[in-house]
Amino acid sequence: MRFPTTALVLSTLAAGQALAASISHQGKMHNHAERHVDLMKAHHERRELDHRDTSLISAADTSNILKLGVNAIGLNAVSKGDAPWVGSDGQFTNTFHNTAGEDLVLVIWGPSGSWINAIRPQITVSIPENSSKTISFPTGWSGAWAPIYGSSKLVNGQISDTWGEATFQPPYSVVDVSREVNMNGKSMSIVGPQCVTDMNTCVFTCKGGASTCLDQYQLVNCETGSQAGANKGTWGGADSGGCGGMGSGAQLNTYLG
Ligand SMILES: *[C@@H]1O[C@H](CO)[C@@H](O)[C@H](O)[C@H]1NC(C)=O
């Protein structure tokens, strides 16, 4: 989200993984303990193809997200591996609740980047109105998620809405809501074992009233001690932090809309 011009370059590449992997680690995500994950990514994605499930997204949703410009439906693994999988048996889980009043597609991408026009997402699952889906995350995973609604758009290859970002790496696991891509995005609230991050709390926002931002962001209402698990620091001169307090594993709940 910080490098839209790069996204434009990427959109011209067939896959773009190598370039994206080197770029996506710039900026705030450096603070997250993700460094090692991308090295074995290509190898892992080959393996994941063996246990994906293509029934997790409806035909209509598939057609809609491809029309929107998403590269492909997600890997959609259904058993433990090196990418998030649909299931509740992981050390780190996140149950996504659709409270938006309309159907949505949950999209999750990993450390190789958020430009889902060029890079195949790890998860794209249909979550109908009033239902939920539990996703497990491998230890060491770093990435983000966002919903695609009926009116959603990709801007520079990224979902132009509110994002959730996470790194699940004990003891430095952290999760946050980010509004940097679109300050006018729909509501997201992530409830962890100790700490809540939502549209106003432990949230990355744009400075100076901008509606979208690359590096002019700030972490607000997340001072260390402001709630259990909250932490705020700086990395490379920029705000970093979010909701920690996840110990060696955690069951999160994310409310969309
Ligand atoms: C979802 O829940 C709301 C509130 O209970 C209800 O009004 C609505 O009809 C439900 N939608 C569907 C599709 O079941």
Side-chain angles (χ1 to χ4, degrees):
M1 68 181 127
R2 290 121 197 136
F3 304 95
T5 52
T6 304
L8 295 175
V9 173
L10 281 175
S11 67
T12 67
L13 301 178
Q17 281 88 344
L19 181 56
S22 65
I23 291 161
S24 65
H25 282 208
Q26 298 182 33
K28 169 161 62 69
M29 290 297 281
H30 258 306
N31 170 56
H32 300 169
E34 86 288 20
R35 284 138 195 100
H36 51 290
V37 184
D38 55 339
L39 294 173
M40 289 175 282
K41 179 118 196 321
H43 166 71
H44 292 155
E45 282 194 351
R46 256 195 319 277
R47 229 193 97 216
E48 284 146 18
L49 291 174
D50 300 332
H51 60 128
R52 66 182 163 164
D53 183 341
T54 51
S55 71
L56 291 164
I57 178 164
S58 71
D61 282 344
T62 299
S63 155
N64 287 342
I65 71 168
L66 294 179
K67 215 177 298 171
L68 210 59
V70 177
N71 176 269
I73 64 163
L75 295 169
N76 287 353
V78 292
S79 59
K80 189 179 169 81
D82 299 296
W85 68 98
V86 180
S88 55
D89 55 327
Q91 197 177 342
F92 291 91
T93 65
N94 195 348
T95 300
F96 293 87
H97 304 265
N98 179 357
T99 58
E102 61 172 305
D103 296 350
L104 64 83
V105 177
L106 172 70
V107 181
I108 303 179
W109 57 90
S112 58
S114 54
W115 298 284
I116 58 170
N117 63 323
I119 303 168
R120 186 178 192 182
Q122 294 184 321
I123 295 279
T124 57
V125 293
S126 300
I127 308 184
E129 181 180 349
N130 295 345
S131 66
S132 65
K133 209 140 250 165
T134 299
I135 308 294
S136 289
F137 293 82
T139 301
W141 183 86
S142 188
W145 54 80
I148 291 181
Y149 298 104
S151 60
S152 291
K153 291 195 166 35
L154 298 193
V155 175
N156 296 325
Q158 301 176 306
I159 296 176
S160 178
D161 211 306
T162 310
W163 291 11
E165 305 176 310
T167 292
F168 297 117
Q169 178 64 78
Y172 302 113
S173 301
V174 64
V175 62
D176 62 77
V177 170
S178 172
R179 303 178 64 186
E180 294 166 46
V181 165
N182 183 354
M183 286 290 290
N184 302 309
K186 290 210 167 83
S187 176
M188 184 185 302
S189 168
I190 306 167
V191 180
Q194 296 188 359
C195 180
V196 174
T197 165
D198 60 22
M199 300 303 271
N200 303 303
T201 309
C202 282
V203 57
F204 284 89
T205 62
C206 297
K207 290 182 183 171
S211 58
T212 184
C213 51
L214 298 178
D215 49 11
Q216 292 301 303
Y217 57 79
Q218 59 196 347
L219 175 63
V220 301
N221 295 329
C222 204
E223 280 64 31
T224 304
S226 57
Q227 57 176 323
N231 65 79
K232 181 175 176 179
T234 56
W235 196 95
D239 282 358
S240 70
C243 271
M246 286 182 261
S248 59
Q251 283 86 51
L252 309 177
N253 283 285
T254 295
Y255 300 90
L256 300 164

